[in-house]
Amino acid sequence: QVHLGESGGGLVQPGGSLRLSCAASGRIFSINAMGWYRQAPGKERELVASITSGGSTDYADSVKGRFTISNNNAKNTMYLQMNSLKPDDTAVYYCNADVRRYPSAPIVRSWGQGTQVTVSS
């Protein structure tokens, strides 16, 4: 079993910053990639940013230039630095990880429980 624990959400004023963390634990041989998704009320879950184990990143157009994704492979941890936050960024943020639990195992995607980010004055 792989567990993803998220932290760092909260309430922030427009223009403020937050840093989300996601730590993967359990039986892990390797992690191919990790990512952040978000879901606002009444909307579909959408990709925010992703990062591979090699450091390649991808961002939604709506967050480019404001959010930065990074990882620490040795700690199986991923971060999302969010700057210049807007009310439209309000959502539950979920992390995921594409994990191989042992050398010959298939890659399986695991999800965290989510952390609320609210941007409001």
Side-chain angles (χ1 to χ4, degrees), residues 4 6 22 24 31 33-37 45 47 49-51 69 78 93-99 108-112:
L4 299 182
E6 298 132 327
C22 174
I31 298 178
M34 298 182 77
W36 290 98
Y37 281 70
R45 190 174 294 190
L47 174 68
S50 64
I51 186 167
I69 191 170
M78 170 182 63
Y93 284 69
Y94 298 90
C95 71
N96 68 36
D98 295 336
V99 177
V108 177
R109 175 163 291 185
S110 297
W111 289 88

Side-chain angles (χ1 to χ4, degrees), residues 27-30 32 99-107:
R27 177 69 180 267
I28 297 172
F29 173 74
S30 65
N32 276 30
V99 177
R100 196 185 299 274
R101 294 182 62 199
Y102 45 91
S104 60
I107 296 171

